[in-house]
Amino acid sequence: ALTLMQRLFTEDHVEFDGRFTTLRDITLDPKPVQSPLPIWVSGRKEAAMKRAARFASGWIPYMYTPEALRASLRTIASLRDPALPPVEAGLLIWVHVHPDRDFARRTIASRLGFTYNQDFDRFVDSYCAAGPADEVVARLSRFVDELLDLGRMRAGRLQFHLEDVDLGTVVHDVVKRLGRELAACGSPVTLSAHPGVVGEWDRFRMD
């Protein structure tokens, strides 16, 4: 379908014999003003990444953690024809800002659970941004930083922001954020970390 769309957007009198579609002498008029017309591909799995690498101008996944977003962009880059420009990236993420974090979580889980007909409570902390405004901003900033890092790496300008960081504090924060989801999956985590393991690291990338 994407091959056919690209031809219809740019050619007249298109002849096409595909697996599911056959066209004879078809012209799309008027054609898109933008040429080539940007095509954004969504999805989560490898098949969608392959489509994005082959056809897309942009990649906009959903239900992704920042780590999964970074990994998907690397996969697409590895599959992309070097002669094509790099794929741009975005993200579909559900947001609910409310002073009461638990209320925000319950509300967004309920709405998404109704929409997708499944229990979303265990997914909220990984795939959504819910809670007080400052926490939502911090959460969204992680995704933005992942996207910006991709551009910096392409330009050879990736920088690390080193500061004194307590490794035990980092691990504690990660376990606290993911604890509900891990417990729901039957994999609860018990943490015993000694304080004072301090080094000069980039806090965000360690997280």
Side-chain angles (χ1 to χ4, degrees):
L2 288 171
T3 298
L4 177 56
M5 289 170 60
Q6 288 178 324
R7 291 191 59 191
L8 288 170
F9 292 157
T10 58
E11 301 176 23
D12 294 331
H13 309 292
V14 173
E15 305 279 338
F16 186 83
D17 290 292
R19 182 180 177 186
F20 303 106
T21 305
T22 299
L23 297 182
R24 294 287 178 262
D25 193 25
I26 298 297
T27 298
L28 181 65
D29 187 29
K31 290 181 172 54
V33 174
Q34 293 170 279
S35 183
L37 182 70
I39 295 176
W40 284 70
V41 170
S42 184
R44 302 184 64 237
K45 303 299 183 180
E46 185 176 357
M49 296 178 203
K50 290 179 178 179
R51 284 193 292 273
R54 182 178 176 187
F55 297 105
S57 308
W59 166 244
I60 183 164
Y62 63 98
M63 287 182 66
Y64 262 21
T65 62
E67 295 78 16
L69 177 61
R70 177 187 286 264
S72 72
L73 294 173
R74 287 175 174 167
T75 298
I76 292 170
S78 71
L79 298 170
R80 185 78 162 176
D81 184 341
L84 296 175
V87 173
E88 297 182 31
L91 182 72
L92 172 62
I93 182 171
W94 296 279
V95 175
H96 188 172
V97 179
H98 194 279
D100 187 329
R101 182 187 305 105
D102 290 337
F103 175 82
R105 290 189 76 267
R106 289 194 306 270
T107 302
I108 203 167
S110 175
R111 298 286 176 84
L112 292 174
F114 176 80
T115 300
Y116 292 97
N117 193 31
Q118 60 178 302
D119 180 10
F120 250 83
D121 185 67
R122 63 194 179 99
F123 298 131
V124 170
D125 293 329
S126 294
Y127 305 137
C128 305
D134 58 337
E135 295 183 10
V136 170
V137 169
R139 175 69 171 161
L140 295 178
S141 294
R142 294 192 62 208
F143 287 102
V144 172
D145 285 341
E146 289 290 347
L147 297 177
L148 291 177
D149 272 358
L150 180 68
R152 295 182 186 120
M153 285 187 286
R154 287 173 178 162
R157 296 198 301 266
L158 180 62
Q159 295 181 341
F160 293 95
H161 302 284
L162 303 180
E163 58 183 330
D164 289 340
V165 177
D166 188 321
L167 183 59
T169 301
V170 174
V171 176
H172 177 272
D173 291 346
V174 172
V175 171
K176 181 180 180 181
R177 188 174 68 248
L178 300 179
R180 186 189 296 268
E181 182 179 354
L182 291 170
C185 294
S187 302
V189 174
T190 300
L191 174 64
S192 177
H194 297 285
V197 184
V198 178
E200 196 172 62
W201 295 306
D202 187 312
R203 173 68 167 80
F204 166 74
R205 290 178 176 83
M206 287 185 64
D207 192 333

